[in-house]
Amino acid sequence: MDERPTKDPEYLSTLERGLKVLRAFDAAHPEMALSDVAAVTGLSPAVARRCLNTLVALGYVAQTGRRFLLRPEVLAFGSAYLQSMNIEQVAAPPLQSLRDQTGDSASLAVRSGRDILYVCHIPTQRRIRLGAGVGTRFPAHATSMGKVLLAYEEPEEIEKFLAEGPLARMTERTVTDPEALLARLDLIADRYYDSALDELDYGIVSVAVPIFDPDDNIVAAINCSTSTTRISQDELVSTRLPLLREAASTIEEELRRWPMLARSLKRG
């Protein structure tokens, strides 16, 4: 998440705490006791308890004995975004065409802090090692879309990204050296694409291109991803890159028709 505006007098810390509690639940923490929630969020037990009690009363969290877990009602937040921003109407058709032509999964993602966040995803019909879907997050530096999104940020934003912490090693091929990542980003900025092989997980190869808004700001990236048993990295790039660039052009044209979506995708 972006850094909080600490000096904004209109900023509601109570809302921030409630959202922090909601976001604490994930695959690693599907069900937690009060002490777990406090530990994960960094909130005091008293504050965490008040947040949980409020979320239970509103129907977003369920309580079973001393343990808490999310309820389906939280899906309303994600569906509200998808419906109000017309993301499926804009991105799904070109991504579906990509999937149909290649058999690869095809996705659109934005940068969210140190991660990428999937906003639209058309899955492959083949079984893959690492599943993804709308709302999935992966470390930006370990993905082709993440590096594409970083490559067109301002230099100070890239410096901030690198200063926020070490680059986690997902595999032996993950770029974890800051200087090596900077060199990779320079290359991407020149050629307008990136390809990743075994960087996020073994057996996965992908290629990604940027999506720009009408003012030439980077707002998203799209990719094709598949198993290394199907295709080599060189062949993936040579065959998928023209298709990805065609899909990106289609989405960018749609963003001109839907300026509200373009504004929503753009990082603040």
Side-chain angles (χ1 to χ4, degrees), residues 171-182:
T171 73
E172 289 301 313
R173 294 182 64 95
T174 308
V175 180
T176 58
D177 176 66
E179 291 302 320
L181 181 60
L182 287 172

Side-chain angles (χ1 to χ4, degrees), residues 132-149:
V134 173
T136 295
R137 305 174 74 95
F138 291 127
H141 70 282
T143 64
S144 56
M145 287 193 287
K147 286 190 283 291
V148 163
L149 288 163

